[in-house]
Amino acid sequence: MRTPDDLLNQFPRTLFIGGRWSDDPTTLEVINPATGRPLTSVADATPEQGIAALDAAVAAQASWAATEPRQRAEILRRAFDLVIERADDFALCMTLEMGKPLAESRGEVTYGAEFLRWFSEEAVRIEGRYSLAPSGGQRIITVRQPVGPVYAITPWNFPLAMATRKIGPALAAGCTVVIKPASQTPLTTMLFMTVLQEAGLPDGVVNCVTTGHSGDLSKAIIADPRLRKLTFTGSTEVGRVLLRQASGGILRTSMELGGNAPFVVLASADIDKAVTGAVQAKMRNIGEACTAANRFIVHESLVEDFSSRLADRLAAMRVGDGTADGVEVGPLINADAVDHIEELIKEAVGHGARVTTGGSRLTGGDYGDGFFLAPTVLTGVTPECRCFREEIFGPVAPVTSFSSLDEAVALANDTEFGLIGYVFGESLTEALTAAERIETGMIGLNSGVISNPAAPFGGVKASGLGREGSHEGLEEYLETKYIGLSLG
Ligand code: NAP
């Protein structure tokens, strides 16, 4: 494995526009959350530079759309191979800028790369149709065409996978892209630009801008009539702002927004399976995942046993700098996140909840000035607690109990969010009934992790619009054109 300095010297850390790295000064600091200290800095693009990136994407659009699907597929496939070849670099980069343990970063490399392979395979399966109109005579022909230049905004929690989940289908469909990674984690996307270039992607097809002025830069790009699609992953709050802006240009939008996942443990659940699933659904990515279990809703007959086993498992997890061997839980993204979650814990305790493990930040010694929080289990949490209503985005598991299936479903649906839910139960009838009645875009049934590039990922209600991954993910970047043909 390279040293951090070696790794960061692999790319210029400036703006990648039209196939060239700019020579801008690098003034936007990137902090390593495990130390609380600056790691490096990157260019801080102005709105004008954002428009320059869009210029490059617009200039490349027609020729990329006309590039044979097989050729587009081969480039994506080469990019997949290169990401896998450089898995150690990508993993280290993510751990340094985002904090997740190296083993999890490696997992994200595999997951993130897979979108490139999946969409390389889908690029050659874009089909239209030919049919006879019901009244005879005219023929109905439909063709699928790329939407056009895309603006992609990604969050900090999955720096590689959120980029490949958007760029993969956009390229497969024949769209060009401007991507703006989160200011906290710009480095992985920059490293990915070097891979796309090496894979033979023509200049201007993908452009990357990093900025500390996301609002102004994005507003300028979204207001430009040459842009045809906005794809965003991030908070519901920012998603609402972007949807309003996108309405000006009647843009196609895909919105992957916040979650508040219920994790329902039915009376028929196998408790070992449920606890293992709970650890996965809660602790993956330090709890900083939109799919993270946010509310544990457990049948009254199992709640005590489940809570104490979950507390034992979380208490045994090793917390520390994600680059160290054996660390299972890294730091949170920044100091604000630690403050915010401590506040949620205090508020729940004020409502009568009990801390059975963890409960506060970890400081001093090996933790230094990093942003660490002890994995926490809260029992006796009531639905009015903020940790039940808001996305926690950290390693805190609030538990409540229920007595009937109707009550469990009502609790699960008592939220504006609808991304994912988890149901654990061995009674097929009861488990499937719960899965069908919980209002989310995805359900993990006896399964704590279900993200898969071949499956449609996305939410309902305030969790978003559209799907990513699978063939549905490609549809988001295609328009349907109808050609009415009269013979003779
Ligand atoms: P965020 O604050 O909404 O930021 C997401 C992205 O939007 C970042 O690139 C950010 O740039 C940018 N941004 C912020 N304000 C903006 C504005 N006014 N105009 C344009 N862009 C703006 O969310 P986050 O804290 O990074 O990510 C956590 C959220 O993402 C959680 O709610 C999580 O559930 C959600 N998420 C959803 C999914 C999903 O698939 N549903 C997946 C992962 C994460 P800066 O970094 O410069 O602020």
Side-chain angles (χ1 to χ4, degrees):
M1 173 125 11
R2 294 181 204 274
T3 64
D5 283 347
D6 253 9
L7 172 69
L8 296 173
N9 286 332
Q10 301 289 306
F11 49 92
R13 304 194 293 287
T14 56
L15 311 179
F16 184 69
I17 299 179
R20 285 212 301 277
W21 293 94
S22 73
D23 52 12
D24 289 293
T26 57
T27 52
L28 182 62
E29 267 188 353
V30 181
I31 306 291
N32 178 346
T35 62
R37 288 194 293 276
L39 178 65
T40 185
S41 51
V42 299
D44 186 359
T46 61
E48 291 71 30
Q49 288 173 309
I51 294 297
L54 181 61
D55 290 344
V58 169
Q61 178 57 56
S63 64
W64 183 244
T67 301
E68 310 86 78
R70 176 63 68 201
Q71 172 69 3
R72 299 203 296 260
E74 297 289 352
I75 291 173
L76 280 168
R77 175 64 206 216
R78 274 199 295 278
F80 164 78
D81 289 336
L82 288 166
V83 171
I84 295 297
E85 247 171 56
R86 300 189 63 184
D88 281 349
D89 285 352
F90 276 101
L92 179 61
C93 199
M94 280 191 274
T95 294
L96 289 173
E97 65 178 345
M98 184 274 168
K100 70 183 82 182
L102 272 177
E104 285 208 62
S105 292
R106 288 200 188 95
E108 185 178 339
V109 175
T110 307
Y111 172 59
E114 207 51 57
F115 286 104
L116 302 170
R117 177 155 67 174
W118 172 266
F119 285 109
S120 78
E121 291 158 352
E122 289 297 290
V124 292
R125 314 210 192 297
I126 298 171
E127 292 162 353
R129 69 173 197 268
Y130 180 97
S131 61
L132 186 60
S135 53
Q138 210 169 44
R139 269 61 171 174
I140 296 169
I141 303 172
T142 65
V143 290
R144 311 304 310 281
Q145 296 182 323
V147 169
V150 172
Y151 182 39
I153 304 177
T154 53
W156 49 263
N157 59 345
F158 289 99
L160 178 65
M162 297 303 100
T164 55
R165 200 160 85 169
K166 296 179 186 312
I167 290 175
L171 296 186
C175 297
T176 60
V177 178
V178 174
I179 183 164
K180 190 209 77 60
S183 52
Q184 284 140 315
T185 57
L187 303 170
T188 305
T189 312
M190 290 173 150
L191 181 59
F192 183 49
M193 293 302 114
T194 68
V195 158
L196 288 177
Q197 204 167 26
E198 205 180 321
L201 192 72
D203 292 348
V205 175
V206 177
N207 309 274
C208 174
V209 286
T210 53
T211 182
H213 313 90
S214 286
D216 291 343
L217 181 136
S218 300
K219 203 169 166 189
I221 294 180
I222 294 167
D224 192 306
R226 298 171 300 168
L227 184 73
R228 294 311 321 138
K229 176 167 175 92
L230 170 65
T231 172
F232 172 72
T233 297
S235 60
T236 296
E237 188 190 351
V238 173
R240 284 195 173 102
V241 171
L242 295 174
L243 276 171
R244 279 195 288 272
Q245 293 174 5
S247 70
I250 320 287
L251 290 182
R252 281 278 294 271
T253 56
S254 299
M255 294 276 145
E256 295 288 352
L257 308 176
N260 181 359
F263 188 105
V264 177
V265 182
L266 299 168
S268 64
D270 173 323
I271 191 111
D272 290 329
K273 264 197 230 167
V275 171
T276 297
V279 174
Q280 291 172 325
K282 179 72 257 180
M283 297 305 291
R284 176 168 170 251
N285 219 46
I286 325 161
E288 294 172 317
C290 52
T291 52
N294 211 61
R295 297 169 290 150
F296 290 86
I297 300 167
V298 185
H299 190 264
E300 58 192 3
S301 63
L302 299 176
V303 71
E304 218 167 287
D305 196 12
F306 175 87
S307 309
S308 78
R309 290 202 208 187
L310 183 61
D312 289 347
R313 292 280 292 270
L314 263 54
M317 293 183 92
R318 187 163 159 220
V319 182
D321 185 327
T323 57
D325 282 344
V327 163
E328 295 160 285
V329 186
L332 296 185
I333 189 68
N334 55 29
D336 286 352
V338 179
D339 292 346
H340 172 69
I341 297 175
E342 268 196 335
E343 214 178 284
L344 294 184
I345 296 170
K346 276 195 200 118
E347 197 259 359
V349 170
H351 278 90
R354 207 163 60 85
V355 176
T356 55
T357 187
S360 57
R361 69 186 63 206
L362 297 167
T363 52
D366 286 350
Y367 302 117
D369 294 323
F371 311 127
F372 295 98
L373 187 90
T376 299
V377 174
L378 294 169
T379 54
V381 176
T382 49
E384 68 269 16
C385 291
R386 281 179 59 200
C387 63
F388 249 47
R389 315 212 70 79
E390 298 174 20
E391 193 175 25
I392 301 169
F393 238 56
V396 177
V399 185
T400 196
S401 62
F402 69 90
S403 53
S404 69
L405 185 62
D406 282 349
E407 193 192 348
V409 170
L411 279 168
N413 289 340
D414 182 19
T415 170
E416 66 166 330
F417 297 104
L419 186 63
I420 187 169
Y422 300 89
V423 176
F424 277 72
E426 298 299 310
S427 151
L428 184 64
T429 306
E430 204 189 19
L432 260 186
T433 302
E436 286 182 5
R437 289 178 57 193
I438 292 175
E439 297 162 349
T440 54
M442 302 177 284
I443 292 280
L445 197 47
N446 291 325
S447 183
V449 182
I450 62 163
S451 301
N452 190 310
F457 186 106
V460 300
K461 297 162 75 178
S463 289
L465 299 168
R467 293 295 179 268
E468 290 191 319
S470 77
H471 195 76
E472 281 97 330
L474 184 63
E475 299 282 332
E476 302 275 329
Y477 296 86
L478 293 167
E479 291 284 13
T480 299
K481 178 176 280 176
Y482 156 53
I483 299 170
L485 169 69
S486 296
L487 296 179

